Amino acid sequence: MGRRKIEIATLKDPNTRQVTFSKRRTGLFKKANELSILCGAEIAIVVFSIGNKPYSFGHPGVDVIAAKFLQEAANSSDAKQIDAQGNNPSNELGDMNRLNQQLSDVQTQILEEEKKGAEHDERLKQHQVTQLSQYKELQASYLELQHRVKDYVNAIEVSECMILLAQEPVVGITKQMTATKRRKKN
Amino acid sequence: MGRRKIEIATLKDPNTRQVTFSKRRTGLFKKANELSILCGAEIAIVVFSIGNKPYSFGHPGVDVIAAKFLQEAANSSDAKQIDAQGNNPSNELGDMNRLNQQLSDVQTQILEEEKKGAEHDERLKQHQVTQLSQYKELQASYLELQHRVKDYVNAIEVSECMILLAQEPVVGITKQMTATKRRKKN
DNA sequence: CAATCTATTTATAAAGC
DNA sequence: TGCTTTATAAATAGATT
Protein backbone atom coordinates (compact mmCIF):
# COMPACT_ATOMS: atom_id res chain seq x y z
CA MET A 1 0.00 0.00 0.00
CA GLY A 2 2.80 2.36 -0.54
CA ARG A 3 5.32 3.37 -3.07
CA ARG A 4 6.64 -0.13 -2.89
CA LYS A 5 5.46 -3.45 -1.69
CA ILE A 6 7.11 -4.58 1.49
CA GLU A 7 7.68 -8.01 2.92
CA ILE A 8 5.78 -8.83 6.06
CA ALA A 9 8.90 -9.40 8.11
CA THR A 10 10.34 -7.54 11.05
CA LEU A 11 11.56 -4.15 9.96
CA LYS A 12 15.21 -3.92 10.73
CA ASP A 13 15.68 -0.17 10.72
CA PRO A 14 14.50 1.20 14.09
CA ASN A 15 13.42 4.46 12.58
CA THR A 16 11.38 2.92 9.82
CA ARG A 17 9.91 0.48 12.30
CA GLN A 18 8.85 3.25 14.62
CA VAL A 19 7.25 5.23 11.83
CA THR A 20 5.47 2.19 10.52
CA PHE A 21 4.34 1.27 14.00
CA SER A 22 2.72 4.64 14.47
CA LYS A 23 1.05 4.69 11.11
CA ARG A 24 -0.24 1.17 11.21
CA ARG A 25 -1.34 1.33 14.80
CA THR A 26 -3.39 4.38 13.91
CA GLY A 27 -4.75 2.58 10.90
CA LEU A 28 -5.60 -0.48 12.95
CA PHE A 29 -7.50 1.56 15.51
CA LYS A 30 -9.33 3.38 12.77
CA LYS A 31 -10.37 0.12 11.21
CA ALA A 32 -11.48 -1.17 14.56
CA ASN A 33 -13.55 1.93 15.08
CA GLU A 34 -15.21 1.60 11.70
CA LEU A 35 -15.93 -2.05 12.31
CA SER A 36 -17.53 -1.33 15.64
CA ILE A 37 -19.71 1.38 14.20
CA LEU A 38 -20.64 -0.33 10.96
CA CYS A 39 -21.48 -3.63 12.57
CA GLY A 40 -22.44 -2.66 16.09
CA ALA A 41 -19.61 -4.73 17.44
CA GLU A 42 -17.66 -4.21 20.62
CA ILE A 43 -13.92 -4.20 20.28
CA ALA A 44 -10.98 -3.98 22.62
CA ILE A 45 -7.41 -3.78 21.48
CA VAL A 46 -4.20 -3.53 23.40
CA VAL A 47 -0.88 -3.10 21.67
CA PHE A 48 2.55 -3.20 23.24
CA SER A 49 5.25 -1.53 21.23
CA ILE A 50 8.65 -3.11 20.96
CA GLY A 51 9.58 -0.88 23.87
CA ASN A 52 6.65 -2.26 25.85
CA LYS A 53 4.69 0.92 25.69
CA PRO A 54 1.00 0.16 25.80
CA TYR A 55 -1.61 1.61 23.51
CA SER A 56 -5.24 0.71 23.69
CA PHE A 57 -8.47 1.08 21.85
CA GLY A 58 -11.90 0.19 23.11
CA HIS A 59 -15.44 0.63 21.95
CA PRO A 60 -17.44 1.15 24.02
CA GLY A 61 -14.51 0.62 26.36
CA VAL A 62 -12.24 -2.16 27.37
CA ASP A 63 -13.72 -2.25 30.85
CA VAL A 64 -17.23 -2.67 29.57
CA ILE A 65 -16.21 -5.45 27.26
CA ALA A 66 -14.25 -7.14 29.99
CA ALA A 67 -17.22 -7.00 32.33
CA LYS A 68 -19.43 -8.40 29.65
CA PHE A 69 -17.15 -11.28 29.01
CA LEU A 70 -16.77 -12.00 32.67
CA GLN A 71 -20.50 -12.26 32.94
CA GLU A 72 -20.72 -14.68 30.07
CA ALA A 73 -17.84 -16.67 31.44
CA ALA A 74 -19.64 -16.88 34.75
CA ASN A 75 -22.77 -18.20 33.09
CA SER A 76 -21.05 -20.78 31.00
CA SER A 77 -18.74 -21.70 33.83
CA ASP A 78 -21.29 -24.32 34.83
CA ALA A 79 -19.57 -26.49 32.35
CA LYS A 80 -16.57 -26.30 34.55
CA GLN A 81 -15.95 -27.55 38.01
CA ILE A 82 -18.51 -26.08 40.29
CA ASP A 83 -19.63 -27.54 43.55
CA ALA A 84 -23.11 -27.87 44.94
CA GLN A 85 -23.07 -24.37 46.29
CA GLY A 86 -22.38 -23.10 42.86
CA ASN A 87 -18.93 -22.03 43.83
CA ASN A 88 -15.85 -22.73 41.89
CA PRO A 89 -13.50 -24.72 44.12
CA SER A 90 -10.38 -23.17 42.74
CA ASN A 91 -12.23 -19.88 42.97
CA GLU A 92 -10.57 -18.58 39.87
CA LEU A 93 -13.64 -16.84 38.64
CA GLY A 94 -14.28 -15.32 41.98
CA ASP A 95 -10.81 -13.93 41.99
CA MET A 96 -11.22 -12.71 38.50
CA ASN A 97 -14.40 -10.95 39.38
CA ARG A 98 -12.87 -9.41 42.42
CA LEU A 99 -9.96 -8.33 40.34
CA ASN A 100 -12.26 -6.83 37.81
CA GLN A 101 -14.12 -5.03 40.52
CA GLN A 102 -10.93 -3.48 41.71
CA LEU A 103 -9.98 -2.52 38.24
CA SER A 104 -13.31 -0.82 37.96
CA ASP A 105 -12.59 1.05 41.14
CA VAL A 106 -9.23 2.09 39.88
CA GLN A 107 -10.80 3.43 36.77
CA THR A 108 -13.24 5.34 38.84
CA GLN A 109 -10.30 6.78 40.70
CA ILE A 110 -8.75 7.78 37.45
CA LEU A 111 -11.90 9.51 36.35
CA GLU A 112 -12.03 11.40 39.59
CA GLU A 113 -8.44 12.31 39.09
CA GLU A 114 -9.37 13.70 35.76
CA LYS A 115 -11.97 15.90 37.36
CA LYS A 116 -9.51 17.10 39.93
CA GLY A 117 -7.10 17.80 37.17
CA ALA A 118 -9.71 19.86 35.43
CA GLU A 119 -10.39 21.90 38.54
CA HIS A 120 -6.74 22.32 39.01
CA ASP A 121 -6.60 23.54 35.51
CA GLU A 122 -9.13 26.24 36.24
CA ARG A 123 -7.35 27.66 39.22
CA LEU A 124 -3.99 27.57 37.64
CA LYS A 125 -5.25 29.44 34.67
CA GLN A 126 -6.64 32.16 36.86
CA HIS A 127 -3.36 32.67 38.59
CA GLN A 128 -0.79 31.84 36.02
CA VAL A 129 -1.71 33.46 32.80
CA THR A 130 1.91 34.17 32.26
CA GLN A 131 2.94 30.60 32.67
CA LEU A 132 0.39 29.37 30.22
CA SER A 133 2.74 27.49 27.98
CA GLN A 134 4.51 25.85 30.87
CA TYR A 135 1.25 24.96 32.40
CA LYS A 136 0.11 23.32 29.27
CA GLU A 137 3.19 21.22 29.38
CA LEU A 138 2.32 20.12 32.86
CA GLN A 139 -1.19 19.31 31.89
CA ALA A 140 0.01 17.32 28.93
CA SER A 141 2.29 15.16 31.01
CA TYR A 142 -0.43 14.75 33.56
CA LEU A 143 -2.88 13.58 30.95
CA GLU A 144 -0.24 11.37 29.47
CA LEU A 145 0.27 9.81 32.85
CA GLN A 146 -3.38 9.10 33.23
CA HIS A 147 -3.54 7.75 29.75
CA ARG A 148 -0.70 5.44 30.45
CA VAL A 149 -2.32 4.11 33.58
CA LYS A 150 -5.50 3.63 31.63
CA ASP A 151 -3.66 1.69 28.95
CA TYR A 152 -2.19 -0.64 31.48
CA VAL A 153 -5.49 -1.19 33.16
CA ASN A 154 -7.02 -1.91 29.79
CA ALA A 155 -4.24 -4.30 28.99
CA ILE A 156 -4.98 -6.24 32.12
CA GLU A 157 -8.64 -6.39 31.29
CA VAL A 158 -8.07 -7.59 27.78
CA SER A 159 -5.74 -10.20 29.14
CA GLU A 160 -8.56 -11.39 31.35
CA CYS A 161 -10.81 -11.62 28.34
CA MET A 162 -8.24 -13.53 26.43
CA ILE A 163 -7.58 -15.87 29.29
CA LEU A 164 -11.23 -16.59 29.81
CA LEU A 165 -11.73 -16.97 26.11
CA ALA A 166 -9.04 -19.59 26.08
CA GLN A 167 -10.57 -21.34 29.04
CA GLU A 168 -14.08 -21.35 27.72
CA PRO A 169 -14.57 -23.24 24.49
CA VAL A 170 -18.04 -21.75 24.61
CA VAL A 171 -17.79 -20.04 21.31
CA GLY A 172 -15.18 -20.31 18.67
CA ILE A 173 -11.98 -18.43 19.03
CA THR A 174 -10.99 -17.07 15.72
CA LYS A 175 -7.89 -18.67 14.43
CA GLN A 176 -7.70 -18.73 10.73
CA MET A 177 -6.63 -15.81 8.72
CA THR A 178 -5.14 -16.09 5.33
CA ALA A 179 -4.54 -19.57 4.18
CA THR A 180 -5.35 -21.66 7.22
CA LYS A 181 -8.60 -23.47 6.89
CA ARG A 182 -9.16 -25.14 10.16
CA ARG A 183 -12.67 -26.33 10.76
CA LYS A 184 -14.29 -25.57 14.04
CA LYS A 185 -14.25 -28.48 16.36
CA ASN A 186 -15.89 -29.13 19.70
CA MET B 1 -12.59 0.58 -0.73
CA GLY B 2 -15.31 -0.98 -2.70
CA ARG B 3 -17.52 -0.37 -5.61
CA ARG B 4 -18.95 2.51 -3.70
CA LYS B 5 -18.02 4.62 -0.76
CA ILE B 6 -20.07 3.91 2.31
CA GLU B 7 -20.95 6.00 5.30
CA ILE B 8 -19.41 4.95 8.57
CA ALA B 9 -22.74 4.41 10.25
CA THR B 10 -24.45 1.33 11.56
CA LEU B 11 -25.47 -0.91 8.69
CA LYS B 12 -29.15 -1.51 9.01
CA ASP B 13 -29.47 -4.50 6.73
CA PRO B 14 -28.66 -7.55 8.88
CA ASN B 15 -27.30 -9.48 5.96
CA THR B 16 -25.00 -6.76 4.75
CA ARG B 17 -23.92 -6.12 8.29
CA GLN B 18 -23.04 -9.74 8.85
CA VAL B 19 -21.05 -9.97 5.65
CA THR B 20 -19.23 -6.74 6.38
CA PHE B 21 -18.53 -7.90 9.89
CA SER B 22 -16.87 -11.05 8.65
CA LYS B 23 -14.85 -9.32 6.00
CA ARG B 24 -13.68 -6.46 8.12
CA ARG B 25 -12.97 -8.59 11.16
CA THR B 26 -10.75 -10.73 9.02
CA GLY B 27 -9.10 -7.65 7.62
CA LEU B 28 -8.59 -6.21 11.09
CA PHE B 29 -6.92 -9.36 12.34
CA LYS B 30 -4.75 -9.50 9.30
CA LYS B 31 -3.66 -5.93 9.87
CA ALA B 32 -2.95 -6.70 13.49
CA ASN B 33 -0.85 -9.65 12.47
CA GLU B 34 1.15 -7.59 10.03
CA LEU B 35 1.69 -4.87 12.58
CA SER B 36 2.95 -7.33 15.16
CA ILE B 37 5.36 -8.91 12.72
CA LEU B 38 6.57 -5.75 11.04
CA CYS B 39 7.11 -3.85 14.26
CA GLY B 40 7.72 -6.59 16.78
CA ALA B 41 4.67 -5.49 18.72
CA GLU B 42 2.41 -7.59 20.88
CA ILE B 43 -1.25 -7.30 20.17
CA ALA B 44 -4.41 -8.59 21.75
CA ILE B 45 -7.85 -8.05 20.29
CA VAL B 46 -11.25 -9.12 21.48
CA VAL B 47 -14.32 -8.54 19.35
CA PHE B 48 -17.93 -9.21 20.18
CA SER B 49 -20.31 -9.44 17.28
CA ILE B 50 -23.73 -7.90 17.52
CA GLY B 51 -24.85 -11.37 18.51
CA ASN B 52 -22.32 -11.35 21.32
CA LYS B 53 -20.15 -13.98 19.80
CA PRO B 54 -16.55 -13.47 20.82
CA TYR B 55 -13.63 -13.52 18.45
CA SER B 56 -10.10 -12.94 19.51
CA PHE B 57 -6.69 -12.41 18.13
CA GLY B 58 -3.39 -12.50 19.95
CA HIS B 59 0.19 -12.38 18.90
CA PRO B 60 2.36 -13.91 20.01
CA GLY B 61 0.94 -16.67 22.16
CA VAL B 62 0.28 -16.29 25.81
CA ASP B 63 3.19 -18.48 26.71
CA VAL B 64 5.60 -16.22 24.89
CA ILE B 65 4.26 -13.14 26.57
CA ALA B 66 4.33 -14.82 29.92
CA ALA B 67 7.95 -15.87 29.46
CA LYS B 68 8.86 -12.36 28.55
CA PHE B 69 7.22 -10.82 31.55
CA LEU B 70 8.66 -13.51 33.73
CA GLN B 71 12.12 -12.24 33.00
CA GLU B 72 11.18 -8.80 34.13
CA ALA B 73 9.72 -10.32 37.25
CA ALA B 74 13.00 -12.02 37.95
CA ASN B 75 14.78 -8.71 37.71
CA SER B 76 12.48 -6.91 40.03
CA SER B 77 12.98 -9.86 42.39
CA ASP B 78 9.47 -9.81 43.66
CA ALA B 79 10.07 -12.49 46.25
CA LYS B 80 8.44 -14.95 43.95
CA GLN B 81 10.02 -18.32 43.77
CA ILE B 82 10.78 -19.60 40.37
CA ASP B 83 12.69 -22.72 39.61
CA ALA B 84 15.38 -23.26 37.07
CA GLN B 85 12.87 -24.10 34.39
CA GLY B 86 11.14 -20.82 34.88
CA ASN B 87 8.13 -22.52 36.34
CA ASN B 88 6.63 -21.76 39.65
CA PRO B 89 5.13 -24.31 42.04
CA SER B 90 1.50 -23.72 41.20
CA ASN B 91 0.09 -21.11 43.46
CA GLU B 92 -2.49 -19.33 41.45
CA LEU B 93 -4.10 -17.91 44.50
CA GLY B 94 -0.83 -16.42 45.53
CA ASP B 95 -0.57 -14.77 42.18
CA MET B 96 -4.10 -13.51 42.39
CA ASN B 97 -3.51 -12.11 45.81
CA ARG B 98 -0.37 -10.45 44.72
CA LEU B 99 -2.11 -8.88 41.78
CA ASN B 100 -4.87 -7.70 44.02
CA GLN B 101 -2.29 -6.27 46.33
CA GLN B 102 -0.59 -4.45 43.52
CA LEU B 103 -3.83 -3.01 42.31
CA SER B 104 -4.63 -1.95 45.79
CA ASP B 105 -1.32 -0.20 45.97
CA VAL B 106 -1.97 1.65 42.77
CA GLN B 107 -5.27 2.77 44.15
CA THR B 108 -3.54 4.00 47.23
CA GLN B 109 -1.04 5.83 45.14
CA ILE B 110 -3.74 7.49 43.18
CA LEU B 111 -5.50 8.60 46.30
CA GLU B 112 -2.31 9.94 47.73
CA GLU B 113 -1.58 11.87 44.63
CA GLU B 114 -5.03 13.24 44.72
CA LYS B 115 -4.27 14.63 48.15
CA LYS B 116 -1.01 16.02 46.94
CA GLY B 117 -2.76 17.69 44.11
CA ALA B 118 -5.20 19.26 46.53
CA GLU B 119 -2.34 20.44 48.70
CA HIS B 120 -0.61 22.05 45.82
CA ASP B 121 -3.85 23.64 44.89
CA GLU B 122 -4.10 25.16 48.34
CA ARG B 123 -0.61 26.50 48.27
CA LEU B 124 -1.14 28.12 44.97
CA LYS B 125 -4.09 29.94 46.36
CA GLN B 126 -2.23 31.12 49.43
CA HIS B 127 0.84 32.25 47.62
CA GLN B 128 -0.29 33.75 44.42
CA VAL B 129 2.76 35.95 44.28
CA THR B 130 5.24 33.11 44.18
CA GLN B 131 3.47 31.39 41.38
CA LEU B 132 6.49 30.37 39.41
CA SER B 133 8.30 28.49 42.12
CA GLN B 134 5.08 26.95 43.24
CA TYR B 135 4.45 25.89 39.76
CA LYS B 136 7.79 24.27 39.42
CA GLU B 137 7.16 22.38 42.59
CA LEU B 138 3.88 21.18 41.25
CA GLN B 139 5.51 20.14 38.08
CA ALA B 140 8.15 18.20 39.96
CA SER B 141 5.46 16.55 41.98
CA TYR B 142 3.70 15.40 38.90
CA LEU B 143 6.85 14.08 37.37
CA GLU B 144 7.42 12.17 40.56
CA LEU B 145 3.90 10.87 40.40
CA GLN B 146 4.50 9.81 36.88
CA HIS B 147 7.52 7.80 37.84
CA ARG B 148 5.92 6.25 40.86
CA VAL B 149 2.82 5.18 39.01
CA LYS B 150 4.99 3.84 36.29
CA ASP B 151 6.79 1.67 38.80
CA TYR B 152 3.55 0.34 40.18
CA VAL B 153 2.21 -0.20 36.76
CA ASN B 154 5.29 -2.22 35.95
CA ALA B 155 4.57 -4.26 39.02
CA ILE B 156 1.09 -4.94 37.70
CA GLU B 157 2.51 -5.93 34.39
CA VAL B 158 4.62 -8.53 36.12
CA SER B 159 1.71 -9.78 38.13
CA GLU B 160 -0.31 -10.03 35.00
CA CYS B 161 2.37 -12.25 33.65
CA MET B 162 2.10 -14.42 36.70
CA ILE B 163 -1.54 -14.95 36.04
CA LEU B 164 -0.86 -15.77 32.48
CA LEU B 165 1.76 -18.18 33.62
CA ALA B 166 -0.63 -19.80 36.02
CA GLN B 167 -3.18 -20.19 33.26
CA GLU B 168 -0.61 -21.46 30.88
CA PRO B 169 -1.40 -25.16 31.11
CA VAL B 170 -4.84 -24.38 29.79
CA VAL B 171 -4.41 -23.40 26.17
CA GLY B 172 -2.65 -20.84 24.10
CA ILE B 173 -4.89 -18.11 22.88
CA THR B 174 -3.16 -17.43 19.65
CA LYS B 175 -3.82 -19.44 16.61
CA GLN B 176 -2.12 -16.96 14.49
CA MET B 177 -2.69 -16.74 10.83
CA THR B 178 0.06 -18.87 9.50
CA ALA B 179 -0.93 -21.95 11.36
CA THR B 180 1.75 -22.04 13.99
CA LYS B 181 2.11 -25.19 16.01
CA ARG B 182 1.44 -24.82 19.67
CA ARG B 183 3.89 -26.78 21.70
CA LYS B 184 2.50 -28.72 24.54
CA LYS B 185 4.22 -28.37 27.84
CA ASN B 186 2.93 -31.00 30.20
C1' DC C 1 -24.06 -18.13 4.32
C1' DA C 2 -18.95 -18.66 2.18
C1' DA C 3 -15.89 -18.15 -1.80
C1' DT C 4 -14.96 -15.34 -6.20
C1' DC C 5 -14.58 -11.49 -8.96
C1' DT C 6 -13.80 -6.48 -10.10
C1' DA C 7 -14.24 -1.44 -9.64
C1' DT C 8 -13.08 1.73 -6.33
C1' DT C 9 -11.87 3.47 -2.16
C1' DT C 10 -8.31 3.37 1.51
C1' DA C 11 -4.19 2.70 3.63
C1' DT C 12 0.50 3.62 3.46
C1' DA C 13 5.78 3.42 1.97
C1' DA C 14 8.91 6.87 0.80
C1' DA C 15 10.57 11.19 0.83
C1' DG C 16 10.63 15.91 2.24
C1' DC C 17 9.37 19.53 6.23
C1' DT D 1 8.04 12.92 16.51
C1' DG D 2 4.54 14.67 13.60
C1' DC D 3 2.52 16.40 9.26
C1' DT D 4 2.32 16.55 3.89
C1' DT D 5 2.45 14.72 -0.50
C1' DT D 6 2.24 11.16 -4.06
C1' DA D 7 2.56 6.76 -6.22
C1' DT D 8 1.08 2.22 -5.27
C1' DA D 9 -0.34 -1.73 -2.82
C1' DA D 10 -4.35 -3.48 -0.22
C1' DA D 11 -8.78 -3.77 1.41
C1' DT D 12 -13.34 -4.20 0.43
C1' DA D 13 -18.59 -3.02 -1.39
C1' DG D 14 -21.51 -4.99 -4.36
C1' DA D 15 -22.67 -8.50 -7.40
C1' DT D 16 -22.55 -13.27 -8.70
C1' DT D 17 -22.60 -18.35 -8.03
Side-chain angles (χ1 to χ4, degrees), chain A residues 122-151:
Chain A
E122 292 293 317
R123 297 201 180 94
L124 285 171
K125 275 181 181 173
Q126 294 178 349
H127 302 297
Q128 297 185 207
V129 182
T130 4
Q131 264 74 39
L132 185 57
S133 69
Q134 283 188 310
Y135 174 70
K136 283 187 173 177
E137 249 177 66
L138 199 208
Q139 185 182 45
S141 68
Y142 178 63
L143 290 176
E144 186 188 318
L145 200 209
Q146 293 189 329
H147 194 259
R148 210 188 307 173
V149 172
K150 181 182 144 202
D151 279 337

Side-chain angles (χ1 to χ4, degrees), chain A residues 18 32 39-41 53 55 61-62 69 77-78 83 89 94 97 106 111 113 119 122 128 177-178:
Chain A
Q18 172 55 46
C39 309
K53 298 194 179 196
Y55 300 85
V62 176
F69 191 85
S77 67
D78 300 320
D83 64 24
N97 282 311
V106 170
L111 285 176
E113 275 288 284
E119 289 175 16
E122 292 293 317
Q128 297 185 207
M177 196 65 272
T178 323

Side-chain angles (χ1 to χ4, degrees), chain B residues 1-3 23-24 30:
Chain B
M1 276 155 136
R3 293 306 184 83
K23 286 184 177 179
R24 280 177 174 259
K30 184 179 178 184

Side-chain angles (χ1 to χ4, degrees), chain A residues 148-173:
Chain A
R148 210 188 307 173
V149 172
K150 181 182 144 202
D151 279 337
Y152 272 98
V153 169
N154 285 345
I156 292 172
E157 291 179 337
V158 166
S159 288
E160 288 174 12
C161 273
M162 301 291 274
I163 290 171
L164 291 171
L165 254 188
Q167 292 180 314
E168 303 289 336
V170 190
V171 199
I173 294 175

